[in-house]
Amino acid sequence: MIISLKNVDVNALRTLFDRTLVVSNSLDFSISSSAIKSSVSNDDQNFWKEWAVPTKGLFESEAFEPIKILFSNGAYFKNKFLGLFNSQKCEMKITYNEKREAESIEVIGQTSFGASLKVNMRTTRYDLAKDPLEDDLKNELFDVKNAITTFDIEPNIIKEINRLRGLNTMADNPVSYVTFKGEDGVLKAFDSSFEFTVSEYSGEPFEAKFPKKSLSLIDSEAINIAYCHSDEIEFDWFIIKGKNPIVECQCIAMLMTSMAEADGSINDDIFGEDNSWGMGE
């Protein structure tokens, strides 16, 4: 079975896929006539992101139900395959099976040199995709009833903190986390090498250790963060929601509560030696 998409904005798709590829090498998403959605976890399985965007302006097509698509080397598909095309008026044909899993994608359009080009790329078998976050755990983690406090961070602040955190790599005792602390009307981010004033703060006092690896997985845009705790879950976490008016994006980031977590041992304690967090291998 084949579905055809007309007037595909390839450049916009590549930008969207960056939201997934910053977290994982695999590009796992679903596409329908109304929306493109993606859910992904990092290799350490302590950060999980999902995003969705309406398809208006991205392509034109007849109505169709979601088709699941997986590329194990997502960067190759985005940069080498879609990167061949300069036109925003490409045609895309998706061949899929009875399970509504894509088998190949064909793109027809103009190259940067103005030449006509048609290329085809096989997808990865979808049964090789990571298992999704279990529904019960997902619902609990995204439930704002668990929030101790919330705060906003303006665009590019996370990018600036990521730049500053690199200073600590040359310290005598480098740490693997950045501390976020809100008290006395001020929200700060710091480690042993820097202290950065993020914004004014009026919520409940808190202090949270955020893994540095996870910081680089957050999109550089205006976000709202809810600091959460539940007696039913053995770790604290941030719910991170983007404020982009078009792309709905939210993340779960596990926080560190002891120095033992710096080497990843907390995951063994919580989820067992397979470190699955309900997401599979």
Side-chain angles (χ1 to χ4, degrees):
M1 295 175 281
I2 299 177
I3 190 72
S4 294
L5 314 180
K6 306 291 186 180
N7 295 324
V8 179
D9 188 339
V10 172
N11 294 330
L13 288 181
R14 294 179 67 201
T15 299
L16 283 171
F17 293 154
D18 279 336
R19 289 180 176 268
T20 293
L21 295 175
V22 72
V23 179
S24 172
N25 292 327
S26 298
L27 181 59
D28 184 351
F29 65 101
S30 69
I31 185 170
S32 70
S33 53
S34 60
I36 300 176
K37 301 179 180 181
S38 180
S39 298
V40 63
S41 65
N42 65 342
D43 289 339
D44 292 333
Q45 296 185 332
N46 59 10
F47 188 96
W48 185 79
K49 175 191 282 188
E50 65 177 21
W51 58 263
V53 62
T55 57
K56 183 178 180 181
L58 294 177
F59 61 82
E60 299 169 1
S61 72
E62 62 185 34
F64 67 96
E65 294 300 307
I67 298 169
K68 294 179 287 188
I69 300 174
L70 175 66
F71 289 98
S72 58
N73 189 338
Y76 186 90
F77 173 72
K78 173 198 162 245
N79 297 323
K80 301 297 185 180
F81 186 77
L82 295 182
L84 292 168
F85 298 94
N86 187 43
S87 171
Q88 294 188 7
K89 299 297 182 181
C90 292
E91 178 181 359
M92 183 178 291
K93 295 182 179 180
I94 304 172
T95 301
Y96 62 97
N97 58 28
E98 65 278 359
K99 296 181 180 179
R100 303 196 69 80
E101 298 170 352
E103 296 180 336
S104 67
I105 292 182
E106 179 181 276
V107 179
I108 304 170
Q110 300 288 320
T111 69
S112 57
F113 301 103
S116 296
L117 178 66
K118 178 171 71 175
V119 290
N120 187 289
M121 183 172 175
R122 297 283 298 180
T123 61
T124 303
R125 284 176 22 222
Y126 201 79
D127 58 1
L128 298 177
K130 287 183 178 180
D131 292 335
L133 191 64
E134 293 176 351
D135 288 341
D136 289 346
L137 180 57
K138 176 181 175 180
N139 292 337
E140 181 72 11
L141 290 175
F142 275 114
D143 195 335
V144 292
K145 73 178 183 183
N146 296 307
I148 298 172
T149 187
T150 64
F151 53 93
D152 295 326
I153 293 184
E154 293 302 309
N156 297 317
I157 291 294
I158 294 296
K159 183 177 181 180
E160 182 67 13
I161 295 173
N162 270 313
R163 185 179 69 85
L164 292 169
R165 70 183 175 89
L167 297 173
N168 190 248
T169 58
M170 301 302 293
D172 291 336
N173 296 298
V175 295
S176 60
Y177 57 86
V178 169
T179 299
F180 284 83
K181 186 173 185 178
E183 65 176 2
D184 299 330
V186 178
L187 175 64
K188 294 183 178 181
F190 59 88
D191 64 14
S192 60
S193 299
F194 78 91
E195 181 178 285
F196 181 75
T197 300
V198 175
S199 65
E200 296 180 350
Y201 179 72
S202 59
E204 291 292 321
F206 81 96
E207 184 171 325
K209 295 180 175 65
F210 196 106
K212 289 184 175 180
K213 286 184 178 180
S214 296
L215 269 172
S216 63
L217 309 182
I218 302 174
D219 300 309
S220 295
E221 60 186 5
I223 56 177
N224 174 266
I225 295 180
Y227 175 37
C228 299
H229 170 83
S230 171
D231 292 338
E232 304 300 318
I233 297 177
E234 298 183 43
F235 56 88
D236 292 348
W237 69 98
F238 279 171
I239 301 175
I240 305 165
K241 293 190 176 184
K243 294 185 175 182
N244 188 302
I246 298 175
V247 183
E248 181 181 346
C249 183
Q250 54 186 1
C251 309
I252 292 294
M254 185 190 301
L255 300 175
M256 298 167 63
T257 56
S258 70
M259 289 306 296
E261 299 169 43
D263 61 4
S265 59
I266 184 174
N267 291 333
D268 292 342
D269 294 340
I270 295 172
F271 305 118
E273 293 182 357
D274 65 351
N275 185 22
S276 63
W277 197 19
M279 296 188 207
E281 295 297 330

